[in-house]
Amino acid sequence: MGWSVVQLVVSAGEVILVIELKLSSIKDTRPPEYVVRFLFGGSCTVLAGLIAKKYGPGVGGLFLAFPAIFPAGASLIESHEKMRKAKLGYDGSKRGRFAVSVESSGTSLGCVALAGFALVVWLGLAYANPFAVMLAAAAVWLLIAATLWAVHRNRVFHGRLRVRERHKIT
Amino acid sequence: MSDLVLRFFIGGMVVSIFALISDVLRPRGFAGLFGAAPSIALATLGLTIVKDGPQYASIEARSMVLGAIGFLVYAICVCRLLARSGSPALVATVGLLPVWAGVSFSLWFLLVRSSS
């Protein structure tokens, strides 16, 4: 098969989620691409700190939700999809754009969770231990993101729940 | 200066880790969730709490809620644009960054600045 996969099946009643870890994807990313991500991430974090210092925490806080790595990540996904298609002799431009579009729809769900994370930090820091608040906020982010994705994936509100058929689970 | 260097390294590490997680996860839609992981926030808020105190970090987090709404609108625009047009991903994602700025700053002016 050429790529190792760890499959995690999460079941909650009728809702079944299949999440895979495609470990070979690590090899698809070249070392310079990892460096670019590191530089992007580091620069954006420094920038957020500098903006907060110059214009105050009100404006600086906006940049904690800046789509820092998103353009670089999207560009990488597109180029990887193009490369895969090129190996088969096809033009992967359309496929690349589609992959980024699908990823962006997931990111939009993650943004709701990001707002949940920020809300917990905002309201929690006044009352609780900062370390506990950060842990709780991260847990809330994961919970909201996974729940929204499960609802979106299984079209819970679309009345078309055919999850078992879709995943060929009998 | 040392504070900025520390921020740079912690930020770079945290963002790289979340990007790596996003790389290996499938399906793509699920991996996309990690595109909006609180990577910069996790890297920054911890340092801010230690240096400037929880109240300062709390104010930053309040604005972050608005930034996240801006990010949501931006991500939806990227998704729709790439599904319907032939523009390359980098052009669409960078070209639409003003949408994030426009929504985030407008909300901040309307909800925070005008009330304080």
Side-chain angles (χ1 to χ4, degrees), chain A residues 20 22 37 58 101 107 122, chain B residues 23-24 26 28 32 58 63 79:
Chain A
E20 290 178 349
K22 191 182 170 190
R37 283 173 173 178
S101 175
T107 302
W122 170 28
Chain B
D23 273 352
V24 298
R26 293 293 182 280
R28 281 236 177 267
S58 176
S63 292
C79 178

Side-chain angles (χ1 to χ4, degrees), chain A residues 31-50:
Chain A
E33 293 169 342
Y34 284 113
V35 174
V36 167
R37 283 173 173 178
F38 184 85
L39 294 176
F40 252 101
S43 306
C44 288
T45 311
V46 168
L47 194 71
L50 289 175

Side-chain angles (χ1 to χ4, degrees), chain A residues 3 18-26 28-29 34 37-46 48-50 52-53 56-72 74-78 80-82 84 96-115 117-119 121-123 125-126 130-131 134 138 141-142 145-146 148-149 153, chain B residues 3-16 18-47 49 51 53-76 78-90 93-94 97 100-101 104-105 107-108 112:
Chain A
W3 48 285
V18 180
I19 299 157
E20 290 178 349
L21 284 178
K22 191 182 170 190
L23 300 175
S24 69
S25 296
I26 296 170
D28 289 348
T29 307
Y34 284 113
R37 283 173 173 178
F38 184 85
L39 294 176
F40 252 101
S43 306
C44 288
T45 311
V46 168
L50 289 175
K53 196 175 266 182
V59 175
L62 294 173
F63 286 84
L64 298 184
F66 181 70
I69 197 73
F70 190 74
S75 176
L76 285 183
I77 292 164
E78 187 184 41
H80 290 166
E81 289 296 332
K82 273 185 180 173
R84 270 189 211 116
R97 280 198 305 276
F98 181 70
V100 177
S101 175
V102 171
E103 183 119 344
S104 308
S105 75
T107 302
S108 64
L109 300 176
C111 289
V112 180
L114 191 65
F117 172 94
L119 208 63
V121 176
W122 170 28
L123 301 174
L125 279 178
F131 181 71
M134 295 301 284
W141 176 83
L142 195 62
L148 286 176
W149 184 75
R153 175 82 173 169
Chain B
D3 174 55
L4 291 182
V5 173
L6 189 66
R7 272 178 194 270
F8 182 83
F9 276 99
I10 293 177
M13 285 294 290
V14 176
V15 167
S16 298
F18 275 108
L20 193 67
I21 293 170
S22 177
D23 273 352
V24 298
L25 284 171
R26 293 293 182 280
R28 281 236 177 267
F30 186 78
L33 293 172
F34 288 82
S39 43
I40 296 182
L42 282 172
T44 303
L45 282 172
L47 290 169
I49 289 166
K51 199 169 171 241
Q55 200 180 355
Y56 189 94
S58 176
I59 296 169
E60 282 197 338
R62 182 183 62 182
S63 292
M64 189 187 161
V65 175
L66 307 177
I69 296 169
F71 197 169
L72 170 69
V73 176
Y74 164 80
I76 291 170
V78 169
C79 178
R80 294 285 162 93
L81 182 68
L82 288 173
R84 288 168 194 187
S85 81
S87 61
L90 192 64
T93 50
V94 173
L97 280 175
W100 172 83
S104 304
F105 279 95
L107 286 172
W108 183 77
V112 180

Side-chain angles (χ1 to χ4, degrees), chain B residues 62 108 111-116:
Chain B
R62 182 183 62 182
W108 183 77
L111 301 174
V112 180
R113 185 78 187 273
S114 58
S115 66
S116 59

